[in-house]
Amino acid sequence: MSSPTSTVEPLNAVEDRYGGVRVDLVEEHMDCDVYVPRLKASISQWRQQGVKGVWMKLPIRHAHLVEPTVKEGFRYHHAESDYLMLVYWIPETPDTLPANASHTVGIGAFVMNNNREVLVVQEKSGAFGAKGVWKFPTGVANQGEDIWTAAIREVKEETGIDTEFVEILAFRQTHKAFCGKSDLFFVCMLRPLSFDINKQDSEIKAAQWMPIEEYMAQPCIQEHESFKYVAEICSGQSNSSCSGFRPVPTLSTSGKKSYTYFNKLQLQNKKKELGG
C-alpha cells in the first residue's frame, strides 16, 4: 500500500519573484510511480502556501514524465532542444503567467566600401533563392546574442568580410512569420574592415560588391515598398543625411549587462550634459 500523500516528500522547488515556484528535475532518473505521488504532494503543499504559478522544467531524459504532469493540470509553455517547460496556475483567479516568447530577431547588414559599392549575396534557397535577387546579408540573432554582434557574425559567415558595427538604420515588425511568431528585423550599418570575399558555399550562391545604384534599381527592390524604403534609408545614410541608433553599454535592473540604443543627436546631447 502506498504511503499517504502527506508523508510523501515534495519535489524540490525554488521560489521566484512573482509568488510562484520553479522546479528543475535534476535527478538522473525518476520512475512515474515515484514522481506522481511527489507531484501530487507538491501541488497540495503549494496550494496551502498560496503559490500562484508553477514552472516545471523537464529535461529530455524525463520525457516519460510529460503525460502524468499534464494529467495533473499542467500545460505546455515552451521547449528547447534539451527540455520541455510546463506551467500550472494554481489559484482560482485569471492566469497571469507570461506567454512564451512572441518574437524572433533578425538582422540585415548594410556594408558599403569607399567606392559606394554595397556587399550583396544571392542565396541558394529561401524566398529569393530561385529569383536571382541580390540582397544584403541577413540572419537571425541567436539566444543571448546582441543585435550588433549578430550582424557582424552573419556578414562574416556569409561573405568572409570582417566588419565593425556603426549603427541601426531602421527596423521592421511583421507578424505570423516563422512558426507563427512575430518578427523584428533590424537593418544594421557596418563598416568593412576587409574587402576580399570568401562566400559561404553551403548557403550562398554568389557574393559581390555592387554599386548601390545598381542594387536599388533591381525590380524586386522597386516593387516592394519595404525593400525600397530600406534601400533609400541606406543610401541616405551613405550620404550622411540620416542618423541611426548606436549601442551604449548599460546595466539592467538586475545588474545584467545590456545595450541601449540612441541616435547620434541624443548621444551628442548626453555627452554635453556630462561635460564630455
Side-chain angles (χ1 to χ4, degrees), residues 139-191:
V140 177
N142 296 323
Q143 181 173 319
E145 185 177 35
D146 294 305
I147 293 169
W148 62 273
T149 305
I152 292 173
R153 173 183 56 77
E154 285 292 347
V155 172
K156 180 66 173 179
E157 288 179 355
E158 293 191 359
T159 68
I161 297 295
D162 294 312
T163 59
E164 64 178 356
F165 182 86
V166 178
E167 57 194 13
I168 292 176
L169 299 179
F171 70 90
R172 178 199 69 205
Q173 182 184 33
T174 56
H175 303 291
K176 296 183 179 180
F178 183 70
C179 291
K181 299 292 184 181
S182 298
D183 177 69
L184 288 173
F185 183 83
F186 292 85
V187 180
C188 303
M189 181 177 182
L190 306 178
R191 183 179 295 112

Side-chain angles (χ1 to χ4, degrees), residues 12-28:
N12 294 324
V14 178
E15 294 182 2
D16 62 26
R17 295 182 294 173
Y18 307 100
V21 296
R22 178 187 175 100
V23 180
D24 291 332
L25 288 186
V26 298
E27 293 85 352
E28 284 300 316

Side-chain angles (χ1 to χ4, degrees), residues 75-123:
R75 59 179 173 82
Y76 292 178
H77 186 270
H78 68 272
E80 294 293 341
S81 61
D82 58 347
Y83 75 86
L84 173 65
M85 183 70 77
L86 300 98
V87 292
Y88 180 38
W89 183 257
I90 295 178
E92 297 297 326
T93 58
D95 184 342
T96 60
L97 290 173
N100 182 22
S102 59
H103 287 68
T104 57
V105 175
I107 63 92
F110 169 60
V111 186
M112 187 166 68
N113 61 25
N114 292 332
N115 297 323
R116 287 184 57 79
E117 296 172 326
V118 293
L119 183 63
V120 292
V121 299
Q122 285 184 341
E123 296 178 333

Side-chain angles (χ1 to χ4, degrees), residues 110 136 169 187 212 229-239:
F110 169 60
F136 295 159
L169 299 179
V187 180
I212 190 169
Y229 281 161
V230 168
E232 290 174 349
I233 290 172
C234 292
S235 178
Q237 179 61 14
S238 68
N239 291 317

